[in-house]
Amino acid sequence: GGDQAKQESKVLRVGSAIDFAPFEFQDEGQKEYQGFDMDLIRAVAKEMGSEAEIQNIGFDGLIPALQAKNIDVIISGMTINDERKQKVNFSDPYYQSGLTMVVRSDEEAIKSFQDLKGHKVAVQIGTTSANMVKEMEGVTVTELNTPADCFMELKARGVDAVVNDRPVNDYYIKQTQAVGVKSLEDKLSAEDYGIAMAKDNAELQKKVNEALKKLHDNGEYDKIYQKWFGA
Ligand code: ARG
C-alpha cells in the first residue's frame, strides 16, 4: 500500500534556507549547495539508504513547508526551542551555537547586548534573534529576509547592529573580507541546532537519530566538522 511505497522511497526531501554560510550557502557559479548542514544531511540520508534532495526555502517558510508535507526534514541551522517543538519533532542536537552581534568597525556605543537600548537592530525574519531582540526594551527592530540583507543594512547605516548566530557572524567576518564591520564577543544565548521533522513521523525521527549516532561513532561527523570549523 501507500505506506510501503513511502518506506521504499529513496529520496529524502530536505528544506533549507540557503543563506547561512558556513551551514548552507551557494557559491557563485556553483550549482551544488554547500556547507556543514549540507554535508551532514547528505551523510544522514546516505546512512538511511536514501538520497538528499535539497530545496531552498526562505527561513520563515520552512516549518510551513514541513507541515504541508512538501519536505520530509528541515536542516537550516535551526535552533531547538519549545515554541517550535509545538509544531515539529527535533532530532538530537547536532551543533552548539549561540547569538552574537556585528557592528560597524568604528562603533563606539555598542560593546555588549545591554548597549542596544536606543539603537536600531537588523535580524533575519523568523529567527531566534528576531524573537530575542523584539523583547528588548527600547530597541528598534528591522526584520529582513536574509543575514546578507541585514549586513548590507548595517553597512548602509540603516541599522547600528545585526544580531545573528555566532558561527555565521564569525564566518562572515573571516571569509568574506567583510570591510568596515566587526563581530562582538558578548553572547546573548546558547542554542542547539536540530534537524526538524513532522510531528506525526516519529519513525523518521528515530531513523535520523540513529543515523546521527552512526556518524558520530564512525568519525564521519568529526570529518565534516573539521572541514568547516577546523583550524
Ligand atoms: N538559529 C536561528 C534560528 O533557529 C537562525 C537560523 C537561520 N537559518 C538560516 N538558514 N538562515 O532561528
Side-chain angles (χ1 to χ4, degrees):
D3 279 349
Q4 201 176 336
K6 215 192 218 165
Q7 299 236 310
E8 284 165 8
S9 130
K10 290 285 177 214
V11 170
L12 182 71
R13 296 171 307 162
V14 178
S16 185
I18 310 294
D19 58 17
F20 211 58
F23 293 94
E24 40 266 342
F25 62 104
Q26 190 171 26
D27 267 346
E28 229 178 299
Q30 216 146 27
K31 67 173 206 285
E32 286 268 301
Y33 298 143
Q34 307 191 54
F36 177 83
D37 284 351
M38 303 294 93
D39 286 350
L40 186 64
I41 201 66
R42 286 181 184 120
V44 163
K46 198 170 164 203
E47 210 50 72
M48 291 171 27
S50 44
E51 201 185 324
E53 193 182 271
I54 301 163
Q55 294 177 45
N56 185 7
I57 298 170
F59 190 75
D60 63 337
L62 286 168
I63 289 181
L66 191 65
Q67 289 177 318
K69 302 270 145 94
N70 293 333
I71 51 176
D72 303 311
V73 302
I74 298 168
I75 189 162
S76 200
M78 185 175 274
T79 301
I80 301 171
N81 65 24
D82 287 339
E83 190 190 332
R84 289 172 183 156
K85 276 191 198 164
Q86 311 289 314
K87 300 179 189 159
V88 303
N89 283 342
F90 279 104
S91 70
D92 294 331
Y94 69 84
Y95 186 92
Q96 286 186 347
S97 191
L99 304 179
T100 60
M101 274 187 290
V102 176
V103 297
R104 285 180 294 273
S105 310
D106 60 4
E107 182 61 63
E108 296 288 340
I110 304 170
K111 298 203 160 61
S112 77
F113 280 98
Q114 297 195 327
D115 304 327
L116 283 182
K117 200 171 178 174
H119 289 280
K120 292 185 200 153
V121 178
V123 289
Q124 182 177 24
I125 192 163
T127 59
T128 48
S129 292
N131 288 343
M132 299 287 267
V133 173
K134 281 195 276 186
E135 274 174 18
M136 292 178 184
E137 221 186 298
V139 175
T140 308
V141 184
T142 304
E143 292 178 89
L144 300 172
N145 281 323
T146 66
D149 291 343
C150 295
F151 294 133
M152 273 197 332
E153 194 62 12
L154 177 68
K155 288 186 178 186
R157 300 189 166 263
V159 294
D160 307 309
V162 173
V163 175
N164 187 38
D165 297 41
R166 170 187 44 78
V168 174
N169 289 340
D170 291 349
Y171 188 90
Y172 172 69
I173 301 292
K174 226 172 53 191
Q175 306 289 319
T176 65
Q177 294 153 333
V179 179
V181 293
K182 63 186 177 190
S183 127
L184 300 180
E185 287 291 314
D186 194 24
K187 279 206 195 80
L188 185 57
S189 64
E191 305 188 348
D192 280 331
Y193 293 165
I195 298 168
M197 289 143 292
K199 269 234 163 283
D200 59 4
N201 204 344
E203 180 71 15
L204 181 60
Q205 185 186 28
K206 199 173 142 218
K207 282 190 190 162
V208 166
N209 279 335
E210 280 167 7
L212 279 176
K213 185 170 184 316
K214 266 240 182 84
L215 297 171
H216 276 289
D217 291 345
N218 69 15
E220 189 65 28
Y221 177 95
D222 282 344
K223 257 194 225 160
I224 297 172
Y225 188 94
Q226 282 306 317
K227 172 176 168 190
W228 294 103
F229 302 105

